[in-house]
Amino acid sequence: MNINISEHHTSETCTWCEKSKECVTADFNDAFIGKAAMCWNCLQKAVKVSSRKETDETSGHNRKPTD
Ligand SMILES: [Zn+2]
């Protein structure tokens, strides 16, 4: 996973929680999240989601078909 924080905003609407907060523009190099302005709180969540997804992908070669 590669996260690139490109901008800092003292007050911006977070893409995730839609509250006006201190935000950063983070580029996740990931189709799921992509590039988004988000607050620090949501950034941490996004990192968790993204790293969990990455773990699933590396260990999930044995995918069961969904029924
Ligand atoms: Zn947020």
Side-chain angles (χ1 to χ4, degrees):
M1 184 181 48
N2 195 2
I3 307 169
N4 193 13
I5 294 175
S6 54
E7 285 172 69
H8 176 256
H9 314 275
T10 46
S11 183
E12 178 67 78
T13 305
C14 171
T15 309
W16 280 36
C17 65
E18 298 181 331
K19 288 173 188 163
S20 193
K21 286 189 169 189
E22 185 185 359
C23 289
V24 290
T25 300
D27 191 345
F28 275 78
N29 198 12
D30 179 325
F32 176 61
I33 299 171
K35 189 175 182 179
M38 57 180 77
C39 66
W40 291 108
N41 208 7
C42 293
L43 179 65
Q44 283 177 33
K45 283 187 209 165
V47 169
K48 279 185 197 165
V49 169
S50 193
S51 59
R52 195 188 306 141
K53 198 166 135 295
E54 202 164 69
T55 312
D56 286 350
E57 275 169 14
T58 46
S59 65
H61 287 294
N62 233 342
R63 270 189 208 150
K64 290 175 190 167
T66 46
D67 10 51

Coordinates of all heavy atoms in Angstrom, one line a residue:
M1 N 0.8 -1.2 0.0 CA 0.0 0.0 0.0 C 0.9 1.2 0.0 O 1.9 1.3 0.7 CB -0.9 0.0 1.2 CG -1.9 1.1 1.2 SD -2.9 1.2 2.7 CE -1.7 0.9 4.0
N2 N 0.5 2.2 -0.8 CA 1.2 3.4 -0.9 C 0.3 4.6 -0.7 O -0.6 4.8 -1.4 CB 1.8 3.4 -2.3 CG 2.9 4.5 -2.4 OD1 3.3 5.2 -1.5 ND2 3.5 4.6 -3.6
I3 N 0.5 5.4 0.4 CA -0.3 6.6 0.6 C 0.6 7.8 0.5 O 1.6 7.9 1.1 CB -0.9 6.5 2.1 CG1 -1.6 5.2 2.3 CG2 -1.8 7.7 2.3 CD1 -2.0 5.0 3.7
N4 N 0.0 8.7 -0.3 CA 0.8 9.9 -0.6 C -0.1 11.1 -0.1 O -1.2 11.4 -0.6 CB 1.0 10.0 -2.1 CG 2.0 11.1 -2.4 OD1 2.7 11.6 -1.5 ND2 2.1 11.4 -3.7
I5 N 0.3 11.8 1.0 CA -0.4 12.9 1.5 C 0.1 14.2 0.8 O 1.3 14.5 0.9 CB -0.3 13.0 3.0 CG1 -1.0 11.8 3.6 CG2 -0.9 14.3 3.5 CD1 -0.9 11.8 5.1
S6 N -0.7 14.8 -0.1 CA -0.3 15.8 -0.9 C -0.6 17.2 -0.4 O 0.1 18.2 -0.7 CB -0.8 15.6 -2.3 OG -2.2 15.5 -2.3
E7 N -1.7 17.4 0.3 CA -2.1 18.7 0.7 C -2.7 18.7 2.1 O -3.2 17.7 2.6 CB -3.2 19.2 -0.2 CG -2.8 19.7 -1.6 CD -4.0 20.0 -2.5 OE1 -4.6 21.0 -2.2 OE2 -4.2 19.2 -3.4
H8 N -2.6 19.8 2.8 CA -3.1 20.0 4.1 C -4.1 21.1 4.1 O -3.9 22.2 3.5 CB -2.0 20.3 5.1 CG -2.5 20.5 6.5 ND1 -2.5 21.8 7.0 CD2 -2.9 19.7 7.4 CE1 -3.0 21.7 8.2 NE2 -3.3 20.5 8.5
H9 N -5.3 20.9 4.6 CA -6.3 21.9 4.7 C -6.7 22.2 6.1 O -7.0 21.2 6.9 CB -7.6 21.4 3.9 CG -7.3 20.8 2.6 ND1 -7.2 21.5 1.5 CD2 -7.1 19.5 2.3 CE1 -6.9 20.7 0.4 NE2 -6.9 19.5 0.9
T10 N -6.7 23.4 6.5 CA -7.1 23.7 7.9 C -8.6 23.5 8.1 O -9.0 23.2 9.2 CB -6.6 25.2 8.3 OG1 -7.0 26.0 7.3 CG2 -5.1 25.2 8.5
S11 N -9.3 23.8 7.1 CA -10.8 23.5 7.2 C -11.3 23.1 5.8 O -11.2 23.8 4.8 CB -11.5 24.8 7.6 OG -12.9 24.5 7.8
E12 N -11.8 21.8 5.8 CA -12.2 21.2 4.5 C -13.3 20.2 4.8 O -13.3 19.7 5.9 CB -11.0 20.6 3.8 CG -11.3 19.9 2.5 CD -11.7 20.9 1.4 OE1 -10.8 21.6 0.8 OE2 -12.9 21.0 1.1
T13 N -14.2 19.9 3.9 CA -15.2 18.9 4.1 C -14.6 17.5 3.8 O -14.1 17.3 2.7 CB -16.4 19.2 3.2 OG1 -16.9 20.5 3.4 CG2 -17.5 18.2 3.5
C14 N -14.6 16.7 4.9 CA -14.1 15.4 4.7 C -15.0 14.5 3.8 O -16.2 14.6 3.9 CB -14.0 14.7 6.1 SG -13.6 13.0 6.1
T15 N -14.3 13.8 2.9 CA -15.1 13.0 1.9 C -15.8 11.9 2.6 O -16.9 11.4 2.2 CB -14.1 12.4 0.9 OG1 -13.3 13.4 0.4 CG2 -14.8 11.7 -0.2
W16 N -15.3 11.4 3.7 CA -15.9 10.2 4.4 C -17.0 10.6 5.4 O -18.1 10.1 5.3 CB -14.8 9.4 5.1 CG -14.0 8.6 4.1 CD1 -13.7 8.9 2.8 CD2 -13.5 7.3 4.3 NE1 -13.0 7.8 2.2 CE2 -12.9 6.8 3.1 CE3 -13.5 6.4 5.5 CZ2 -12.3 5.6 3.0 CZ3 -12.9 5.2 5.3 CH2 -12.3 4.8 4.1
C17 N -16.7 11.5 6.3 CA -17.7 11.8 7.4 C -18.5 13.0 7.1 O -19.4 13.4 7.7 CB -17.0 11.9 8.7 SG -15.8 13.2 8.9
E18 N -18.1 13.8 6.0 CA -18.8 14.9 5.5 C -18.9 16.1 6.5 O -19.8 16.8 6.5 CB -20.1 14.5 4.9 CG -20.0 13.6 3.8 CD -21.4 13.2 3.2 OE1 -22.4 13.2 3.9 OE2 -21.4 12.9 2.0
K19 N -17.9 16.1 7.4 CA -17.8 17.2 8.4 C -16.7 18.1 8.0 O -15.7 17.7 7.4 CB -17.6 16.7 9.8 CG -18.8 15.9 10.4 CD -18.4 15.3 11.7 CE -19.6 14.4 12.2 NZ -19.2 13.5 13.2
S20 N -16.9 19.4 8.3 CA -15.8 20.3 8.1 C -14.8 20.3 9.2 O -15.1 20.5 10.3 CB -16.5 21.7 8.0 OG -15.5 22.6 7.4
K21 N -13.6 19.8 8.8 CA -12.5 19.6 9.8 C -11.2 19.9 9.2 O -11.1 20.2 8.0 CB -12.6 18.1 10.1 CG -13.7 17.7 11.0 CD -13.4 16.2 11.5 CE -14.4 15.8 12.6 NZ -14.0 14.6 13.2
E22 N -10.2 19.7 10.0 CA -8.8 19.8 9.5 C -8.6 18.5 8.7 O -8.8 17.4 9.1 CB -7.8 19.8 10.6 CG -6.4 20.0 10.2 CD -5.4 19.9 11.4 OE1 -5.9 19.8 12.5 OE2 -4.2 20.0 11.1
C23 N -8.2 18.7 7.4 CA -8.2 17.6 6.5 C -6.8 17.5 5.7 O -6.1 18.5 5.7 CB -9.3 17.6 5.4 SG -10.9 17.3 6.0
V24 N -6.5 16.4 5.2 CA -5.4 16.2 4.3 C -5.9 15.6 3.0 O -6.9 14.9 3.0 CB -4.3 15.4 4.8 CG1 -3.6 16.1 6.0 CG2 -4.8 14.0 5.3
T25 N -5.3 15.9 1.9 CA -5.6 15.2 0.7 C -4.6 14.0 0.6 O -3.4 14.1 0.5 CB -5.4 16.1 -0.6 OG1 -6.3 17.2 -0.5 CG2 -5.7 15.3 -1.9
A26 N -5.2 12.8 0.6 CA -4.4 11.6 0.6 C -4.7 10.8 -0.7 O -5.9 10.6 -1.0 CB -4.8 10.7 1.8
D27 N -3.7 10.4 -1.3 CA -3.8 9.6 -2.5 C -3.3 8.2 -2.2 O -2.2 7.9 -1.9 CB -2.9 10.2 -3.6 CG -3.1 9.6 -5.0 OD1 -3.8 8.6 -5.0 OD2 -2.7 10.2 -6.0
F28 N -4.3 7.3 -2.2 CA -4.1 5.9 -1.7 C -3.5 5.0 -2.8 O -3.3 3.8 -2.5 CB -5.4 5.4 -1.1 CG -5.5 5.7 0.3 CD1 -6.0 7.0 0.6 CD2 -5.2 4.8 1.3 CE1 -6.1 7.3 2.0 CE2 -5.4 5.2 2.6 CZ -5.8 6.4 3.0
N29 N -3.4 5.5 -4.0 CA -2.9 4.6 -5.0 C -3.7 3.3 -5.1 O -3.1 2.2 -5.2 CB -1.4 4.3 -4.7 CG -0.6 3.8 -5.9 OD1 -1.1 3.9 -7.1 ND2 0.6 3.4 -5.7
D30 N -4.9 3.4 -5.0 CA -5.8 2.3 -4.8 C -7.2 2.7 -5.4 O -7.7 3.7 -5.1 CB -5.9 2.1 -3.2 CG -6.9 1.0 -2.9 OD1 -7.9 0.8 -3.5 OD2 -6.6 0.3 -1.8
A31 N -7.7 1.8 -6.2 CA -9.0 2.1 -6.8 C -10.2 2.3 -5.9 O -11.1 3.0 -6.1 CB -9.3 1.1 -7.9
F32 N -10.1 1.6 -4.7 CA -11.1 1.6 -3.8 C -11.3 3.0 -3.1 O -12.4 3.5 -3.0 CB -10.9 0.6 -2.7 CG -11.9 0.6 -1.6 CD1 -13.3 0.3 -1.9 CD2 -11.5 0.8 -0.3 CE1 -14.2 0.3 -0.8 CE2 -12.5 0.8 0.7 CZ -13.8 0.6 0.5
I33 N -10.2 3.6 -2.7 CA -10.3 4.9 -2.0 C -9.8 6.0 -3.0 O -10.4 7.0 -3.1 CB -9.4 4.9 -0.8 CG1 -9.9 3.8 0.2 CG2 -9.4 6.3 -0.1 CD1 -9.0 3.6 1.4
G34 N -8.7 5.8 -3.7 CA -8.3 6.8 -4.6 C -7.7 8.0 -3.9 O -7.1 7.9 -2.9
K35 N -8.0 9.2 -4.5 CA -7.5 10.4 -3.9 C -8.7 11.1 -3.3 O -9.7 11.4 -4.0 CB -6.8 11.2 -5.1 CG -6.1 12.4 -4.6 CD -5.4 13.1 -5.7 CE -4.6 14.3 -5.2 NZ -3.9 15.0 -6.3
A36 N -8.5 11.5 -2.1 CA -9.7 12.1 -1.4 C -9.2 13.0 -0.3 O -8.1 12.7 0.4 CB -10.6 11.0 -0.8
A37 N -9.9 14.1 0.0 CA -9.7 14.9 1.2 C -10.4 14.3 2.4 O -11.6 14.0 2.3 CB -10.2 16.3 0.9
M38 N -9.7 14.0 3.4 CA -10.3 13.4 4.6 C -9.6 13.9 5.9 O -8.5 14.3 5.8 CB -10.2 11.9 4.5 CG -8.9 11.3 4.3 SD -8.9 9.5 4.2 CE -9.5 9.3 2.5
C39 N -10.4 13.9 6.9 CA -9.9 14.3 8.2 C -8.9 13.2 8.8 O -8.9 12.1 8.3 CB -11.0 14.6 9.2 SG -12.0 13.2 9.7
W40 N -8.2 13.6 9.8 CA -7.2 12.7 10.4 C -7.9 11.4 10.9 O -7.3 10.3 10.7 CB -6.5 13.3 11.5 CG -5.6 14.4 11.0 CD1 -5.7 15.8 11.2 CD2 -4.3 14.3 10.3 NE1 -4.7 16.4 10.6 CE2 -3.8 15.6 10.0 CE3 -3.6 13.2 9.8 CZ2 -2.7 15.8 9.3 CZ3 -2.5 13.4 9.0 CH2 -2.0 14.7 8.8
N41 N -9.1 11.6 11.4 CA -9.8 10.4 12.0 C -10.1 9.4 10.9 O -9.9 8.2 11.0 CB -11.1 11.0 12.6 CG -11.6 10.2 13.7 OD1 -11.0 9.2 14.1 ND2 -12.8 10.5 14.2
C42 N -10.7 9.9 9.8 CA -11.0 9.1 8.7 C -9.8 8.5 7.9 O -9.8 7.4 7.4 CB -12.0 9.8 7.7 SG -13.6 10.2 8.4
L43 N -8.8 9.3 7.9 CA -7.5 8.9 7.3 C -7.0 7.6 8.0 O -6.7 6.6 7.4 CB -6.4 10.0 7.4 CG -5.1 9.6 6.8 CD1 -5.1 9.4 5.3 CD2 -4.1 10.7 7.1
Q44 N -7.1 7.6 9.3 CA -6.7 6.4 10.1 C -7.6 5.2 9.8 O -7.1 4.1 9.6 CB -6.8 6.7 11.6 CG -5.7 7.5 12.1 CD -5.8 7.8 13.6 OE1 -6.3 7.0 14.3 NE2 -5.4 9.0 14.0
K45 N -8.9 5.5 9.6 CA -9.8 4.4 9.2 C -9.5 3.9 7.9 O -9.5 2.7 7.6 CB -11.3 4.9 9.2 CG -11.9 5.0 10.6 CD -13.3 5.4 10.5 CE -13.8 6.2 11.6 NZ -15.1 6.8 11.4
A46 N -9.2 4.8 7.0 CA -8.9 4.4 5.6 C -7.7 3.6 5.5 O -7.6 2.6 4.8 CB -8.8 5.7 4.7
V47 N -6.7 3.9 6.3 CA -5.4 3.2 6.4 C -5.7 1.7 6.9 O -5.3 0.8 6.3 CB -4.4 3.9 7.3 CG1 -3.2 2.9 7.5 CG2 -3.9 5.2 6.6
K48 N -6.6 1.6 7.9 CA -6.9 0.3 8.4 C -7.7 -0.5 7.4 O -7.3 -1.7 7.1 CB -7.8 0.5 9.6 CG -7.0 0.7 10.9 CD -7.9 0.7 12.1 CE -7.3 1.4 13.3 NZ -8.2 1.8 14.3
V49 N -8.7 0.1 6.7 CA -9.4 -0.6 5.7 C -8.5 -1.1 4.6 O -8.6 -2.2 4.1 CB -10.6 0.3 5.2 CG1 -11.2 -0.3 3.9 CG2 -11.6 0.5 6.2
S50 N -7.7 -0.1 4.2 CA -6.8 -0.4 3.0 C -5.8 -1.5 3.3 O -5.6 -2.4 2.5 CB -6.1 0.9 2.6 OG -5.5 0.7 1.4
S51 N -5.2 -1.5 4.6 CA -4.2 -2.5 4.9 C -4.9 -3.9 5.1 O -4.3 -4.9 4.8 CB -3.4 -2.1 6.1 OG -4.3 -1.9 7.2
R52 N -6.1 -3.8 5.6 CA -6.9 -5.1 5.8 C -7.2 -5.7 4.5 O -7.0 -6.9 4.3 CB -8.2 -4.8 6.6 CG -8.8 -6.1 7.1 CD -10.2 -5.9 7.7 NE -10.2 -4.8 8.7 CZ -11.1 -3.9 8.8 NH1 -12.2 -3.9 8.0 NH2 -11.1 -3.0 9.7
K53 N -7.6 -4.9 3.5 CA -7.9 -5.3 2.2 C -6.6 -5.9 1.5 O -6.7 -7.0 0.9 CB -8.4 -4.1 1.4 CG -9.1 -4.5 0.1 CD -9.8 -3.2 -0.4 CE -9.7 -3.0 -1.9 NZ -8.4 -2.8 -2.4
E54 N -5.5 -5.3 1.8 CA -4.3 -5.8 1.2 C -3.9 -7.2 1.8 O -3.5 -8.1 1.1 CB -3.1 -4.8 1.5 CG -2.0 -4.9 0.6 CD -1.1 -3.7 0.7 OE1 -0.4 -3.5 1.7 OE2 -1.1 -2.9 -0.3
T55 N -4.1 -7.3 3.1 CA -3.9 -8.6 3.7 C -4.8 -9.7 3.1 O -4.4 -10.8 2.9 CB -4.1 -8.5 5.2 OG1 -3.4 -7.3 5.7 CG2 -3.5 -9.7 6.0
D56 N -6.0 -9.3 3.0 CA -7.0 -10.3 2.4 C -6.6 -10.7 1.0 O -6.7 -11.9 0.7 CB -8.4 -9.6 2.3 CG -9.1 -9.5 3.6 OD1 -8.5 -10.1 4.6 OD2 -10.1 -8.8 3.7
E57 N -6.1 -9.8 0.2 CA -5.7 -10.1 -1.1 C -4.5 -11.0 -1.2 O -4.5 -12.0 -2.0 CB -5.4 -8.8 -1.9 CG -6.7 -8.2 -2.5 CD -6.5 -6.8 -3.0 OE1 -5.3 -6.4 -3.2 OE2 -7.5 -6.2 -3.3
T58 N -3.5 -10.8 -0.3 CA -2.4 -11.6 -0.3 C -2.6 -13.0 0.2 O -2.0 -14.0 -0.2 CB -1.2 -11.0 0.5 OG1 -1.7 -10.5 1.7 CG2 -0.6 -9.9 -0.3
S59 N -3.5 -13.1 1.2 CA -3.8 -14.4 1.8 C -5.0 -15.1 1.2 O -5.3 -16.2 1.5 CB -4.0 -14.3 3.3 OG -5.1 -13.5 3.6
G60 N -5.7 -14.4 0.3 CA -7.0 -14.9 -0.2 C -6.9 -15.5 -1.5 O -7.9 -15.3 -2.3
H61 N -5.9 -16.2 -1.8 CA -5.8 -16.8 -3.2 C -6.8 -18.0 -3.3 O -7.1 -18.5 -4.3 CB -4.4 -17.3 -3.4 CG -3.5 -16.1 -3.7 ND1 -3.6 -15.3 -4.8 CD2 -2.4 -15.7 -3.0 CE1 -2.6 -14.4 -4.8 NE2 -1.9 -14.6 -3.7
N62 N -7.2 -18.4 -2.1 CA -8.1 -19.6 -2.1 C -9.5 -19.2 -1.9 O -10.2 -19.7 -1.1 CB -7.7 -20.4 -0.8 CG -7.3 -21.8 -1.1 OD1 -7.7 -22.3 -2.2 ND2 -6.7 -22.5 -0.2
R63 N -10.0 -18.3 -2.7 CA -11.3 -17.8 -2.5 C -12.4 -18.9 -2.8 O -12.4 -19.5 -3.8 CB -11.5 -16.6 -3.5 CG -11.1 -15.4 -2.8 CD -11.5 -14.1 -3.6 NE -10.6 -13.1 -3.3 CZ -10.3 -12.1 -4.2 NH1 -10.8 -12.1 -5.4 NH2 -9.4 -11.2 -3.9
K64 N -13.3 -18.9 -1.9 CA -14.4 -19.8 -2.0 C -15.5 -19.1 -2.9 O -15.7 -17.9 -2.7 CB -15.0 -20.2 -0.7 CG -14.2 -21.0 0.2 CD -14.8 -21.2 1.5 CE -13.8 -21.9 2.5 NZ -14.2 -21.8 3.8
P65 N -16.2 -19.9 -3.7 CA -17.3 -19.2 -4.4 C -18.4 -18.8 -3.5 O -18.6 -19.6 -2.5 CB -17.7 -20.3 -5.4 CG -17.1 -21.6 -5.0 CD -16.0 -21.2 -4.0
T66 N -19.0 -17.7 -3.7 CA -20.1 -17.3 -2.8 C -21.4 -18.0 -3.1 O -21.8 -18.2 -4.3 CB -20.4 -15.8 -2.9 OG1 -20.4 -15.5 -4.3 CG2 -19.3 -15.0 -2.3
D67 N -22.0 -18.5 -2.1 CA -23.3 -19.1 -2.3 C -24.4 -18.3 -1.6 O -24.3 -17.7 -0.7 CB -23.5 -20.5 -2.0 CG -22.5 -21.3 -1.2 OD1 -22.2 -20.8 -0.2 OD2 -22.2 -22.3 -1.6
Ligands
ZN1 ZN -13.7 12.5 8.3

